[in-house]
């Protein structure tokens, strides 16, 4: 126990040297564990709640988040709302995987967070194409990936996967980016990717945050998404209904959480 405490103290000390990592870590712990009655304010506590594995993931994902922040000024795009979409997806993904079988290390949160990283990559690498895609997407007539494929020849899912691969991030993150619109096609991590798909659709249908895909999503479409079959291949409606009911509580809290986070 003593060694463990010393270990936590050392990690906390290293994290404290990086103010942006510190604030991100505190936000993360307070959003993942938003059920805590008192918010977590110290790094030691955050390390305690998140665990070393999750922190390691956060550190690997830091360059991606930094890209987010740097790029918000380059293209005309509702970046703040987009960031809310990403965090909201992370929170809901965590909730959905919890209804089935949550991974022990909260990697679901990070996967939800970076699922749409391809959009940032697109904005930084092909700003003119990105602007044109957004101009067409905002009309709300067509699906975003269809426009992306037409204008650029690649969509944000594939571009994000390539980017994460190049940064040697985990297979889980790569697969999530690549298949988050078609979880049934993923050969591994199907449950998690299915959860991301559902989280993404729910946020879009509730109009919380802005994903950049302006095509309207109905509640019915959310509940007939292919991800449900991946999550519950052999079960009846009842089990799905329970999972859905538990999500509605989180959805109620969501606007307030997202306002505070971004
Ligand atoms: Fe997407
Ligand atoms: Fe998304």
């Amino acid at each position: 126990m003593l060694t463990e405490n010393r270990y936590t103290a050392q990690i906390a000390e290293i994290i404290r040297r990086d103010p942006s990592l510190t604030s991100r870590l505190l936000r993360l712990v307070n959003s993942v564990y938003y059920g805590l009655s008192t918010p977590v304010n110290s790094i030691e506590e955050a390390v305690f709640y998140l665990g070393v594995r999750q922190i390691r993931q956060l550190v690997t994902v830091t360059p991606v988040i930094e890209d987010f922040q740097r790029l918000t000024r380059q293209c005309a795009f509702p970046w703040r709302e987009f960031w809310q979409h990403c965090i909201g997806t992370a929170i809901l993904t965590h909730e959905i995987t919890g209804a089935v079988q949550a991974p022990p290390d909260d990697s679901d949160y990070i996967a939800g967070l970076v699922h749409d990283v391809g959009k940032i990559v697109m904005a930084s690498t092909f700003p003119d194409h990105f602007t044109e895609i957004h101009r067409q997407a905002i009309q709300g007539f067509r699906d975003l990936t269809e426009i992306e494929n037409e204008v650029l020849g690649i969509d944000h899912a594939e571009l994000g996967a390539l980017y994460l691969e190049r940064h040697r991030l985990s297979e889980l993150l790569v697969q999530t980016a690549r298949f988050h619109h078609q979880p049934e096609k993923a050969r591994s991590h199907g449950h998690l990717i299915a959860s991301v798909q559902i989280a993404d659709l729910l946020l879009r249908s509730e109009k919380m945050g802005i994903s950049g895909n302006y095509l309207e999503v109905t509640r019915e479409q959310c509940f007939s998404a292919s991800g449900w079959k991946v999550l519950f291949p052999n079960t009846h409606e009842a089990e799905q209904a329970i999972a859905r009911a538990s999500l509605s509580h989180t959805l109620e809290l969501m606007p307030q959480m997202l306002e505070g986070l971004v």
Side-chain angles (χ1 to χ4, degrees):
M1 192 63 198
L2 192 65
T3 338
E4 227 171 82
N5 282 344
R6 203 177 296 150
Y7 194 32
T8 306
Q10 280 176 7
I11 295 170
E13 191 43 51
I14 295 164
I15 293 167
R16 240 191 301 273
R17 290 182 202 156
D18 182 340
S20 81
L21 183 61
T22 301
S23 66
R24 225 160 22 234
L25 194 63
L26 291 175
R27 274 194 220 162
L28 179 69
V29 73
N30 283 313
S31 59
V32 174
Y33 299 96
Y34 54 89
L36 294 172
S37 49
T38 3
V40 170
N41 288 315
S42 85
I43 289 293
E44 278 83 359
E45 265 183 290
V47 174
F48 172 78
Y49 281 111
L50 292 171
V52 177
R53 269 174 105 184
Q54 166 101 358
I55 286 168
R56 200 169 48 211
Q57 282 184 343
L58 187 74
V59 173
T60 38
V61 101
T62 292
V64 178
I65 297 176
E66 237 109 71
D67 278 353
F68 259 111
Q69 290 169 338
R70 230 175 331 110
L71 287 164
T72 50
R73 289 175 294 269
Q74 289 195 10
C75 289
F77 187 75
W79 289 108
R80 182 172 176 267
E81 290 78 7
F82 175 67
W83 191 218
Q84 291 180 332
H85 169 74
C86 298
I87 295 177
T89 306
I91 295 170
L92 276 183
T93 299
H94 188 65
E95 201 79 3
I96 298 166
T97 57
V100 188
Q101 192 186 21
D105 56 358
D106 288 342
S107 51
D108 47 356
Y109 187 89
I110 304 292
L113 196 64
V114 302
H115 76 284
D116 268 341
V117 71
K119 290 172 188 168
I120 302 153
V121 178
M122 203 180 280
S124 68
T125 324
F126 309 103
D128 295 342
H129 293 80
F130 182 83
T131 305
E132 173 58 19
I133 289 163
H134 185 236
R135 191 189 66 77
Q136 293 189 28
I138 206 165
Q139 296 166 9
F141 300 130
R142 290 163 72 207
D143 188 70
L144 179 69
T145 52
E146 193 186 310
I147 302 170
E148 289 170 339
N149 279 311
E150 194 179 282
V151 174
L152 188 62
I154 188 170
D155 62 34
H156 68 273
E158 185 56 27
L159 196 61
L162 294 173
Y163 173 86
L164 295 168
E165 250 164 6
R166 230 185 105 194
H167 278 73
R168 295 177 195 284
L169 290 182
S170 71
E171 183 61 13
L172 168 71
L173 298 185
V174 173
Q175 296 292 314
T176 303
R178 182 164 284 139
F179 295 114
H180 70 272
H181 296 296
Q182 303 155 301
E184 69 284 4
K185 291 195 177 163
R187 265 189 258 137
S188 57
H189 313 294
H191 277 185
L192 200 148
I193 301 171
S195 306
V196 173
Q197 181 209 30
I198 294 164
D200 176 83
L201 287 172
L202 276 171
L203 286 166
R204 283 178 52 203
S205 81
E206 295 291 318
K207 299 196 170 32
M208 292 171 188
I210 293 178
S211 74
N213 194 347
Y214 294 86
L215 190 68
E216 202 168 330
V217 175
T218 63
R219 261 278 164 125
E220 288 67 38
Q221 283 169 317
C222 287
F223 292 135
S224 58
S226 58
W228 289 103
K229 280 216 177 73
V230 178
L231 284 175
F232 302 101
N234 312 309
T235 46
H236 327 285
E237 283 290 300
E239 218 173 316
Q240 291 189 26
I242 295 169
R244 285 173 203 168
S246 73
L247 288 177
S248 61
H249 177 64
T250 312
L251 275 173
E252 265 171 45
L253 294 170
M254 189 64 75
Q256 215 185 337
M257 280 192 305
L258 291 179
E259 273 309 304
L261 279 169
V262 193

